Short mmCIF file of all heavy atoms in Angstrom, two decimals:
data_model
loop_
_atom_site.label_atom_id
_atom_site.label_comp_id
_atom_site.label_asym_id
_atom_site.label_seq_id
_atom_site.Cartn_x
_atom_site.Cartn_y
_atom_site.Cartn_z
N ARG A 271 -31.41 -19.19 33.74
CA ARG A 271 -30.44 -20.22 33.28
C ARG A 271 -29.16 -19.60 32.87
O ARG A 271 -28.09 -19.98 33.25
CB ARG A 271 -31.02 -20.99 32.13
CG ARG A 271 -30.12 -22.12 31.59
CD ARG A 271 -30.83 -22.82 30.44
NE ARG A 271 -31.99 -23.47 30.78
CZ ARG A 271 -33.19 -23.24 30.32
NH1 ARG A 271 -33.36 -22.23 29.41
NH2 ARG A 271 -34.21 -23.89 30.64
N HIS A 272 -29.22 -18.41 32.13
CA HIS A 272 -28.08 -17.66 31.63
C HIS A 272 -27.29 -17.01 32.85
O HIS A 272 -26.13 -16.95 32.83
CB HIS A 272 -28.37 -16.74 30.56
CG HIS A 272 -28.53 -17.45 29.13
ND1 HIS A 272 -29.64 -18.22 28.90
CD2 HIS A 272 -27.70 -17.47 28.09
CE1 HIS A 272 -29.41 -18.68 27.69
NE2 HIS A 272 -28.30 -18.20 27.24
N VAL A 273 -28.03 -16.44 33.77
CA VAL A 273 -27.31 -15.81 34.98
C VAL A 273 -26.59 -16.92 35.74
O VAL A 273 -25.42 -16.74 36.03
CB VAL A 273 -28.49 -15.22 35.91
CG1 VAL A 273 -27.82 -14.87 37.17
CG2 VAL A 273 -29.03 -14.07 35.25
N LEU A 274 -27.12 -18.12 35.93
CA LEU A 274 -26.41 -19.16 36.61
C LEU A 274 -25.20 -19.63 35.82
O LEU A 274 -24.24 -20.01 36.40
CB LEU A 274 -27.40 -20.32 36.88
CG LEU A 274 -28.52 -20.01 37.90
CD1 LEU A 274 -29.52 -21.30 37.92
CD2 LEU A 274 -28.05 -19.70 39.30
N TYR A 275 -25.31 -19.68 34.46
CA TYR A 275 -24.27 -20.23 33.62
C TYR A 275 -23.13 -19.29 33.46
O TYR A 275 -21.96 -19.57 33.56
CB TYR A 275 -24.90 -20.68 32.34
CG TYR A 275 -23.93 -21.41 31.39
CD1 TYR A 275 -23.60 -22.74 31.82
CD2 TYR A 275 -23.42 -20.84 30.23
CE1 TYR A 275 -22.75 -23.50 30.98
CE2 TYR A 275 -22.68 -21.61 29.37
CZ TYR A 275 -22.26 -22.89 29.83
OH TYR A 275 -21.44 -23.67 28.99
N LEU A 276 -23.48 -17.99 33.09
CA LEU A 276 -22.45 -17.00 32.80
C LEU A 276 -21.95 -16.26 33.98
O LEU A 276 -20.73 -15.79 34.01
CB LEU A 276 -22.98 -15.94 31.70
CG LEU A 276 -23.44 -16.56 30.34
CD1 LEU A 276 -24.00 -15.46 29.53
CD2 LEU A 276 -22.17 -17.16 29.72
N LYS A 277 -22.76 -16.04 34.95
CA LYS A 277 -22.44 -15.50 36.23
C LYS A 277 -22.12 -13.95 36.11
O LYS A 277 -22.73 -13.14 36.76
CB LYS A 277 -21.25 -16.27 36.97
CG LYS A 277 -21.64 -17.61 37.36
CD LYS A 277 -20.54 -18.35 38.07
CE LYS A 277 -20.85 -19.69 38.60
NZ LYS A 277 -21.25 -20.67 37.53
N ASP A 278 -21.03 -13.66 35.40
CA ASP A 278 -20.48 -12.26 35.28
C ASP A 278 -19.74 -12.08 34.17
O ASP A 278 -19.49 -13.01 33.34
CB ASP A 278 -19.80 -11.81 36.59
CG ASP A 278 -18.68 -12.80 36.96
OD1 ASP A 278 -18.11 -13.50 35.99
OD2 ASP A 278 -18.33 -12.86 38.14
N LYS A 279 -19.18 -10.95 33.96
CA LYS A 279 -18.30 -10.64 32.72
C LYS A 279 -17.06 -11.47 32.73
O LYS A 279 -16.63 -11.92 31.66
CB LYS A 279 -17.97 -9.14 32.70
CG LYS A 279 -17.20 -8.73 31.51
CD LYS A 279 -17.01 -7.24 31.42
CE LYS A 279 -16.25 -6.79 30.24
NZ LYS A 279 -16.08 -5.27 30.11
N ALA A 280 -16.37 -11.64 33.96
CA ALA A 280 -15.26 -12.39 34.00
C ALA A 280 -15.37 -13.81 33.51
O ALA A 280 -14.69 -14.32 32.65
CB ALA A 280 -14.59 -12.40 35.34
N ARG A 281 -16.47 -14.42 33.92
CA ARG A 281 -16.84 -15.84 33.56
C ARG A 281 -17.15 -15.86 32.06
O ARG A 281 -16.77 -16.72 31.39
CB ARG A 281 -17.97 -16.42 34.41
CG ARG A 281 -18.75 -17.49 33.74
CD ARG A 281 -18.09 -18.79 33.61
NE ARG A 281 -18.91 -19.77 32.86
CZ ARG A 281 -18.60 -20.88 32.37
NH1 ARG A 281 -17.36 -21.27 32.42
NH2 ARG A 281 -19.40 -21.66 31.78
N THR A 282 -17.87 -14.87 31.57
CA THR A 282 -18.18 -14.78 30.16
C THR A 282 -16.95 -14.69 29.31
O THR A 282 -16.84 -15.35 28.17
CB THR A 282 -19.20 -13.57 29.91
OG1 THR A 282 -20.32 -13.66 30.76
CG2 THR A 282 -19.54 -13.47 28.46
N LEU A 283 -16.01 -13.93 29.65
CA LEU A 283 -14.77 -13.82 28.88
C LEU A 283 -13.99 -15.08 28.89
O LEU A 283 -13.36 -15.35 27.94
CB LEU A 283 -14.01 -12.58 29.42
CG LEU A 283 -14.49 -11.16 29.20
CD1 LEU A 283 -13.65 -10.14 29.88
CD2 LEU A 283 -14.69 -10.85 27.76
N GLU A 284 -14.06 -15.84 30.05
CA GLU A 284 -13.37 -17.11 30.09
C GLU A 284 -14.06 -18.02 29.02
O GLU A 284 -13.29 -18.82 28.27
CB GLU A 284 -13.52 -17.78 31.42
CG GLU A 284 -12.62 -17.08 32.43
CD GLU A 284 -12.90 -17.72 33.86
OE1 GLU A 284 -13.51 -18.75 33.97
OE2 GLU A 284 -12.40 -17.11 34.80
N LEU A 285 -15.37 -18.09 28.87
CA LEU A 285 -16.02 -18.86 28.00
C LEU A 285 -15.67 -18.42 26.53
O LEU A 285 -15.45 -19.27 25.70
CB LEU A 285 -17.59 -18.75 28.12
CG LEU A 285 -18.40 -19.46 27.18
CD1 LEU A 285 -18.21 -20.94 27.06
CD2 LEU A 285 -19.94 -19.24 27.49
N MET A 286 -15.56 -17.13 26.27
CA MET A 286 -15.26 -16.62 25.02
C MET A 286 -13.84 -17.08 24.45
O MET A 286 -13.62 -17.15 23.35
CB MET A 286 -15.40 -15.08 24.91
CG MET A 286 -16.89 -14.57 25.10
SD MET A 286 -18.03 -15.55 24.10
CE MET A 286 -17.73 -15.07 22.50
N LYS A 287 -12.95 -17.25 25.41
CA LYS A 287 -11.58 -17.74 25.04
C LYS A 287 -11.72 -19.14 24.46
O LYS A 287 -10.98 -19.57 23.53
CB LYS A 287 -10.78 -17.68 26.29
CG LYS A 287 -10.25 -16.29 26.66
CD LYS A 287 -9.31 -16.44 27.92
CE LYS A 287 -8.85 -15.02 28.36
NZ LYS A 287 -7.99 -15.07 29.52
N LYS A 288 -12.59 -19.94 25.00
CA LYS A 288 -12.94 -21.33 24.49
C LYS A 288 -13.50 -21.26 23.01
O LYS A 288 -13.24 -22.00 22.19
CB LYS A 288 -13.83 -22.11 25.47
CG LYS A 288 -13.20 -22.31 26.79
CD LYS A 288 -14.14 -23.04 27.78
CE LYS A 288 -13.55 -23.16 29.07
NZ LYS A 288 -14.47 -23.91 30.03
N HIS A 289 -14.37 -20.28 22.93
CA HIS A 289 -14.93 -20.03 21.59
C HIS A 289 -13.80 -19.63 20.60
O HIS A 289 -13.77 -20.06 19.48
CB HIS A 289 -16.06 -18.93 21.58
CG HIS A 289 -17.45 -19.45 22.00
ND1 HIS A 289 -18.16 -20.25 21.23
CD2 HIS A 289 -18.10 -19.09 23.11
CE1 HIS A 289 -19.30 -20.46 21.90
NE2 HIS A 289 -19.24 -19.74 23.07
N ALA A 290 -12.97 -18.78 21.11
CA ALA A 290 -11.81 -18.29 20.21
C ALA A 290 -10.91 -19.38 19.77
O ALA A 290 -10.44 -19.39 18.64
CB ALA A 290 -11.04 -17.28 21.04
N ALA A 291 -10.69 -20.45 20.63
CA ALA A 291 -9.82 -21.61 20.28
C ALA A 291 -10.43 -22.37 19.07
O ALA A 291 -9.74 -23.02 18.34
CB ALA A 291 -9.72 -22.37 21.44
N ILE A 292 -11.81 -22.21 18.93
CA ILE A 292 -12.47 -22.86 17.81
C ILE A 292 -12.50 -22.02 16.61
O ILE A 292 -12.26 -22.37 15.56
CB ILE A 292 -13.90 -23.29 18.26
CG1 ILE A 292 -13.86 -24.32 19.34
CG2 ILE A 292 -14.62 -23.90 16.96
CD1 ILE A 292 -15.13 -24.58 20.10
N MET A 293 -12.88 -20.70 16.80
CA MET A 293 -13.02 -19.73 15.76
C MET A 293 -11.68 -19.36 15.11
O MET A 293 -11.57 -19.16 13.84
CB MET A 293 -13.76 -18.53 16.26
CG MET A 293 -15.19 -18.78 16.59
SD MET A 293 -16.21 -18.71 15.17
CE MET A 293 -16.30 -16.95 14.81
N GLY A 294 -10.67 -19.12 15.97
CA GLY A 294 -9.39 -18.58 15.42
C GLY A 294 -8.90 -19.36 14.28
O GLY A 294 -8.42 -18.77 13.16
N PRO A 295 -8.68 -20.70 14.39
CA PRO A 295 -8.12 -21.49 13.28
C PRO A 295 -8.91 -21.32 11.98
O PRO A 295 -8.36 -21.38 10.87
CB PRO A 295 -8.26 -22.88 13.77
CG PRO A 295 -8.16 -22.79 15.23
CD PRO A 295 -8.91 -21.53 15.55
N LYS A 296 -10.25 -21.15 12.09
CA LYS A 296 -11.10 -21.02 10.83
C LYS A 296 -10.80 -19.69 10.16
O LYS A 296 -10.66 -19.63 8.94
CB LYS A 296 -12.56 -21.08 11.29
CG LYS A 296 -12.98 -22.42 11.82
CD LYS A 296 -14.52 -22.40 12.12
CE LYS A 296 -14.84 -23.77 12.71
NZ LYS A 296 -16.28 -24.01 12.83
N PHE A 297 -10.73 -18.60 10.85
CA PHE A 297 -10.41 -17.32 10.28
C PHE A 297 -8.97 -17.22 9.72
O PHE A 297 -8.81 -16.69 8.79
CB PHE A 297 -10.68 -16.26 11.26
CG PHE A 297 -12.12 -15.74 11.32
CD1 PHE A 297 -13.02 -16.51 12.08
CD2 PHE A 297 -12.57 -14.66 10.74
CE1 PHE A 297 -14.38 -16.11 12.06
CE2 PHE A 297 -13.91 -14.23 10.68
CZ PHE A 297 -14.86 -14.99 11.35
N ARG A 298 -8.13 -17.87 10.41
CA ARG A 298 -6.69 -17.97 9.89
C ARG A 298 -6.62 -18.67 8.66
O ARG A 298 -5.80 -18.37 7.77
CB ARG A 298 -5.81 -18.49 11.05
CG ARG A 298 -5.40 -17.53 12.11
CD ARG A 298 -4.32 -17.96 13.00
NE ARG A 298 -4.70 -19.17 13.84
CZ ARG A 298 -5.34 -19.07 15.06
NH1 ARG A 298 -5.64 -17.85 15.48
NH2 ARG A 298 -5.64 -20.09 15.68
N SER A 299 -7.45 -19.82 8.66
CA SER A 299 -7.52 -20.62 7.29
C SER A 299 -7.93 -19.72 6.17
O SER A 299 -7.31 -19.81 5.00
CB SER A 299 -8.33 -21.79 7.53
OG SER A 299 -8.52 -22.54 6.36
N VAL A 300 -9.01 -18.97 6.35
CA VAL A 300 -9.48 -18.14 5.24
C VAL A 300 -8.38 -17.02 4.88
O VAL A 300 -8.08 -16.93 3.71
CB VAL A 300 -10.81 -17.39 5.81
CG1 VAL A 300 -11.19 -16.29 4.74
CG2 VAL A 300 -11.93 -18.31 5.94
N ALA A 301 -7.87 -16.46 5.86
CA ALA A 301 -6.99 -15.32 5.60
C ALA A 301 -5.64 -15.82 4.89
O ALA A 301 -5.23 -15.27 3.91
CB ALA A 301 -6.52 -14.66 6.81
N ASP A 302 -5.22 -17.01 5.40
CA ASP A 302 -3.97 -17.59 4.78
C ASP A 302 -4.15 -18.03 3.32
O ASP A 302 -3.32 -17.91 2.53
CB ASP A 302 -3.53 -18.83 5.63
CG ASP A 302 -2.99 -18.39 7.05
OD1 ASP A 302 -2.73 -17.18 7.18
OD2 ASP A 302 -2.80 -19.27 7.93
N THR A 303 -5.46 -18.57 3.11
CA THR A 303 -5.78 -19.08 1.78
C THR A 303 -5.82 -17.81 0.82
O THR A 303 -5.25 -17.89 -0.26
CB THR A 303 -7.10 -19.79 1.69
OG1 THR A 303 -6.93 -20.94 2.54
CG2 THR A 303 -7.44 -20.26 0.26
N LEU A 304 -6.40 -16.80 1.22
CA LEU A 304 -6.48 -15.54 0.40
C LEU A 304 -5.10 -14.92 0.16
O LEU A 304 -4.82 -14.46 -0.91
CB LEU A 304 -7.48 -14.54 1.04
CG LEU A 304 -8.86 -14.89 1.14
CD1 LEU A 304 -9.69 -13.94 1.92
CD2 LEU A 304 -9.50 -15.19 -0.22
N ASP A 305 -4.29 -14.97 1.22
CA ASP A 305 -2.93 -14.38 1.06
C ASP A 305 -2.15 -15.17 0.02
O ASP A 305 -1.35 -14.65 -0.78
CB ASP A 305 -2.23 -14.45 2.42
CG ASP A 305 -2.74 -13.40 3.36
OD1 ASP A 305 -3.38 -12.47 2.93
OD2 ASP A 305 -2.43 -13.52 4.56
N LYS A 306 -2.38 -16.52 0.03
CA LYS A 306 -1.58 -17.32 -0.87
C LYS A 306 -2.11 -17.37 -2.29
O LYS A 306 -1.40 -17.22 -3.27
CB LYS A 306 -1.63 -18.82 -0.32
CG LYS A 306 -0.84 -19.78 -1.19
CD LYS A 306 -0.98 -21.22 -0.69
CE LYS A 306 -0.35 -22.22 -1.58
NZ LYS A 306 -0.47 -23.63 -1.01
N GLU A 307 -3.49 -17.42 -2.38
CA GLU A 307 -4.10 -17.69 -3.65
C GLU A 307 -4.48 -16.40 -4.44
O GLU A 307 -4.42 -16.36 -5.69
CB GLU A 307 -5.32 -18.53 -3.56
CG GLU A 307 -5.07 -20.00 -3.08
CD GLU A 307 -4.29 -20.76 -4.09
OE1 GLU A 307 -4.41 -20.59 -5.31
OE2 GLU A 307 -3.53 -21.67 -3.72
N ILE A 308 -4.80 -15.34 -3.76
CA ILE A 308 -5.39 -14.13 -4.33
C ILE A 308 -4.49 -12.98 -4.34
O ILE A 308 -4.35 -12.15 -5.15
CB ILE A 308 -6.72 -13.81 -3.65
CG1 ILE A 308 -7.71 -15.01 -3.79
CG2 ILE A 308 -7.33 -12.62 -4.39
CD1 ILE A 308 -8.08 -15.50 -5.18
N ALA A 309 -3.80 -12.83 -3.15
CA ALA A 309 -2.93 -11.62 -2.92
C ALA A 309 -1.99 -11.37 -4.11
O ALA A 309 -1.87 -10.24 -4.61
CB ALA A 309 -2.27 -11.61 -1.66
N PRO A 310 -1.18 -12.37 -4.53
CA PRO A 310 -0.27 -12.09 -5.67
C PRO A 310 -0.92 -11.63 -6.94
O PRO A 310 -0.21 -11.03 -7.82
CB PRO A 310 0.52 -13.38 -5.84
CG PRO A 310 0.17 -14.21 -4.59
CD PRO A 310 -1.20 -13.78 -4.14
N LEU A 311 -2.19 -11.82 -7.08
CA LEU A 311 -2.86 -11.52 -8.45
C LEU A 311 -3.33 -10.11 -8.49
O LEU A 311 -3.68 -9.71 -9.56
CB LEU A 311 -4.11 -12.49 -8.62
CG LEU A 311 -3.64 -14.04 -8.52
CD1 LEU A 311 -4.94 -14.85 -8.69
CD2 LEU A 311 -2.52 -14.34 -9.47
N ASP A 312 -3.38 -9.36 -7.37
CA ASP A 312 -3.80 -7.94 -7.36
C ASP A 312 -5.19 -7.79 -7.91
O ASP A 312 -5.46 -6.93 -8.72
CB ASP A 312 -2.78 -7.12 -8.00
CG ASP A 312 -2.94 -5.68 -7.64
OD1 ASP A 312 -3.50 -5.44 -6.59
OD2 ASP A 312 -2.49 -4.81 -8.46
N ILE A 313 -6.12 -8.68 -7.57
CA ILE A 313 -7.53 -8.63 -8.02
C ILE A 313 -8.58 -8.45 -6.96
O ILE A 313 -9.75 -8.45 -7.20
CB ILE A 313 -7.93 -9.82 -8.84
CG1 ILE A 313 -7.68 -11.17 -8.05
CG2 ILE A 313 -7.04 -9.88 -10.14
CD1 ILE A 313 -8.11 -12.44 -8.66
N ALA A 314 -8.14 -8.22 -5.65
CA ALA A 314 -9.11 -8.20 -4.58
C ALA A 314 -8.32 -7.52 -3.41
O ALA A 314 -7.13 -7.53 -3.29
CB ALA A 314 -9.65 -9.46 -4.30
N SER A 315 -9.19 -7.19 -2.40
CA SER A 315 -8.63 -6.73 -1.10
C SER A 315 -9.52 -7.32 0.04
O SER A 315 -10.75 -7.67 -0.23
CB SER A 315 -8.55 -5.20 -0.98
OG SER A 315 -9.82 -4.65 -1.14
#
């Protein structure tokens, strides 16, 4: 089933770009929040 679906590395990387479109905003949200709320306080890295 996975051979038929993923086919090869090129097709797999195309699929991962679709995952990235979902994941990217989540990670940016975390980083942006920490940059805004925690970074000025010098209490974490």
Side-chain angles (χ1 to χ4, degrees):
R271 182 183 295 118
H272 279 75
V273 168
L274 295 173
Y275 190 70
L276 296 176
K277 295 183 174 62
D278 53 27
K279 184 175 182 177
R281 154 68 183 167
T282 302
L283 291 176
E284 288 177 10
L285 175 60
M286 294 313 293
K287 289 180 181 178
K288 296 177 182 179
H289 280 291
I292 298 168
M293 291 279 284
K296 296 183 179 185
F297 276 79
R298 286 191 288 275
S299 174
V300 169
D302 291 347
T303 301
L304 294 175
D305 287 345
K306 178 183 177 182
E307 295 292 330
I308 303 299
L311 308 179
D312 198 21
I313 56 173
S315 63

